[in-house]
Amino acid sequence: MNGDLEIVQPAGWPAPRGYANGVVTRGRTLHIAGQIGWDPASGQLRSDDLAEQFAQALDNVLAVVAAAGGEPGDVARMTVYVTDLEAYRGSLRAIGAAWRARFGKHFPAMALVGVAGLVERRALVEIEAVAALDARGEAAAQGAAVEMDAAAAAPPGASARGEGGP
């Protein structure tokens, strides 16, 4: 786990399972916008399965973290929005496997929220996160800033690669 994260557990509380009750961060902070289970190469959702979308959404969150020079253990907080709580509960085994493959036993402060729908109609899950980055990520962050400058030059609703916006 990142040395810039300190897990907070109130005395006398039972140990949480799969999350932390609180996390104190130090250093640079990365706020990751809500990520859905879309394939970045195609810009499309490849599956209508909640567990598969969850796994891809985690990959997308971690791609943003990596672009800033971070790693999975830097994620301090995560909010997961799902459109079907029963499907989520029924997919816990596959979701847990996807989590362990990416995060191991690192569990940030988390919340799961059931929602009526997401902006992308086929999206079943959206994950937003906050990561605490230390100085090792500064060089990667500078490279990402160059890419952001190119994206900022694109017209509204288009990416730097000339593709349509959200």
Side-chain angles (χ1 to χ4, degrees), residues 52-103:
E52 289 177 27
Q53 284 192 21
F54 183 88
Q56 183 63 55
L58 284 178
D59 287 341
N60 296 344
V61 166
L62 292 177
V64 176
V65 171
E71 56 193 39
D74 295 333
V75 176
R77 181 194 154 284
M78 186 177 287
T79 303
V80 178
Y81 302 94
V82 296
T83 60
D84 185 339
L85 288 169
E86 286 306 314
Y88 177 86
R89 290 180 188 109
S91 300
L92 283 177
R93 186 175 303 245
I95 286 170
W99 181 272
R100 287 185 300 280
R102 290 152 181 85
F103 286 91

